[in-house]
Amino acid sequence: MFVSLPPSAGAATMGDMLRRIVHVVFDGFQLLDLAGPADVFATAGLLARPGGYRVEVAAGRAGPVAANTGIRVEATTALADVGGEIDTLIVSGGLSVRRHLGDPELAAQLRRISGLARRTASVCNGALLLAEAGLLAGRRATTHWLAAGELARRYPDVTVDADRIHQRDGDVWTSAGVTAGIDLALALVADDHGARLAHDVARGLVVYLHRPGGQSQFSAAMTAPASPDGTMRELQAYIDGNPGADLSVPALARRTGLSERHFARVFTERVGTPPGRYVERSRAEAARRLLETTDHPLDRIARETGIGAPETLFRVFRRLWRVAPGEYRRRFTMS
């Protein structure tokens, strides 16, 4: 299947009043990273009088570019040919990003084009490409929760906030995974035209203007990886399998035969997080699974997972995932 993205609505009559968006793609890019923001900008163009957007797709070479789905998108411009004034440079993400991290020409072109743009942005793990080009150095950024650890390891000069849906640091914007590109584009529209237009665009697209909570609510387990230490690994399995048990430091220390002080130090060193924090997150994960798979009332879930009271369950969810337990259940229930 072949898709060619037309200019945003109004291009024929608004001319130079349109904000020029250069959206960079590459073989294997995530199609929604382009399509989601493009629809936001097109809808804003329908509603903004005057002042819409013109989306220009660019790649290493002009011509068809295959997305991760096999759908081909027409890149109207080669990166080397991009010039002139640019309002916003946006870089897509995708599973193929890692194949492009070692491409010095791509990094050089992103640096050059970013210098022409009023602001620079990335969707999903496209943040890795911005970081490879040196555009995130000394900045705070976010990315897909699956790629956050890699972004932090590869580029230690970037401060990674893995829970943000989108992040702005000066004239550089980054977003979380895939559909968060829509959230990012809405934020860009709000920055350009105000919250009212962004609200109207969100209503038209049937999406949140401000998505409740952070992206960690969509992620896999937040508990630490298994320790290479056999004793601590067994203890982790016990904690994860028995959330309602006595998991206090004294009780856990007794299971290992260590003094409380020595146990706390060894656990923290070998697991990577203090025992109290590990227990809290493990219990929160157990509560999250029960919210998704049962219709148990909140007081029963809090009691069975060792969290205690519904009020404590609420505080833990708000702190870890920025969402209330009841709201989490409404979004993710399997019943």
Side-chain angles (χ1 to χ4, degrees):
M1 183 176 179
F2 183 84
V3 174
S4 179
L5 292 178
S8 298
T13 60
M14 298 174 69
D16 292 339
M17 298 176 70
L18 294 174
R19 296 174 185 266
R20 182 187 178 198
I21 309 289
V22 174
H23 199 126
V24 176
V25 299
F26 42 83
D27 286 336
F29 76 96
Q30 182 84 31
L31 183 60
L32 195 53
D33 288 3
L34 168 64
D39 267 343
V40 169
F41 295 129
T43 304
L46 289 171
L47 300 176
R49 298 296 184 203
Y53 298 87
R54 184 178 78 253
V55 177
E56 176 182 327
V57 181
R61 291 181 298 177
V65 180
N68 61 316
T69 58
I71 294 174
R72 293 181 298 159
V73 170
E74 177 78 8
T76 56
T77 312
L79 291 177
D81 295 331
V82 174
E85 293 186 3
I86 300 168
D87 183 81
T88 309
L89 167 67
I90 303 179
V91 179
S92 288
L95 292 177
S96 66
V97 157
R98 291 173 187 83
R99 298 204 312 262
H100 301 280
L101 288 178
D103 183 346
E105 177 62 19
L106 175 59
Q109 290 297 341
L110 291 180
R111 282 193 300 272
R112 182 185 67 82
I113 298 170
S114 179
L116 303 175
R118 179 173 68 91
R119 61 190 174 192
T120 297
S122 65
V123 182
C124 195
N125 64 344
L128 290 165
L129 295 174
L130 291 189
E132 182 73 7
L135 298 172
L136 296 184
R139 297 184 184 271
R140 183 175 294 274
T142 192
T143 186
H144 194 297
W145 59 267
L146 277 171
E150 181 179 7
L151 180 61
R153 287 192 302 273
R154 280 181 176 265
Y155 311 100
D157 54 355
V158 180
T159 301
V160 180
D161 189 340
D163 193 42
R164 294 296 296 271
I165 296 296
H166 54 79
Q167 174 72 54
R168 178 183 186 177
D169 189 330
D171 58 357
V172 176
W173 303 60
T174 51
S175 85
V178 195
T179 61
I182 296 173
D183 301 78
L184 170 68
L186 286 168
L188 295 175
V189 169
D191 190 56
D192 294 338
H193 297 286
R196 170 50 58 187
L197 178 64
H199 177 266
D200 291 344
V201 172
R203 289 181 63 198
L205 295 177
V206 198
V207 296
Y208 286 112
L209 177 58
H210 300 292
R211 190 190 308 220
Q215 70 165 331
S216 61
Q217 63 184 294
F218 301 95
S219 69
M222 292 178 65
T223 47
S227 167
D229 180 285
T231 299
M232 294 302 149
R233 187 168 61 247
E234 290 178 6
L235 187 61
Q236 284 179 270
Y238 173 77
I239 293 170
D240 295 341
N242 299 274
D246 180 1
L247 301 179
S248 63
V249 168
L252 295 175
R254 285 194 297 272
R255 293 187 66 87
T256 63
L258 301 173
S259 69
E260 294 177 25
R261 185 173 182 178
H262 187 50
F263 161 74
R265 181 178 62 80
V266 171
F267 187 97
T268 302
E269 287 178 354
R270 299 181 184 177
V271 177
T273 188
R277 185 176 302 169
Y278 184 93
V279 167
E280 180 187 65
R281 291 199 168 195
S282 180
R283 283 172 164 166
E285 284 293 337
R288 185 157 75 159
R289 289 192 296 272
L290 289 176
L291 286 170
E292 292 175 355
T293 60
T294 75
D295 58 0
H296 296 343
L298 297 184
D299 59 346
R300 177 176 173 181
I301 290 176
R303 184 175 63 254
E304 290 185 357
T305 58
I307 290 175
E311 295 80 7
T312 307
L313 180 67
F314 180 88
R315 288 196 299 270
V316 168
F317 264 66
R318 291 295 300 178
R319 180 159 47 79
L320 293 181
W321 295 300
R322 302 182 189 178
V323 66
E327 177 63 23
Y328 181 89
R329 167 174 270 167
R330 282 189 290 274
R331 292 186 216 162
F332 297 101
T333 181
M334 296 174 62
S335 59

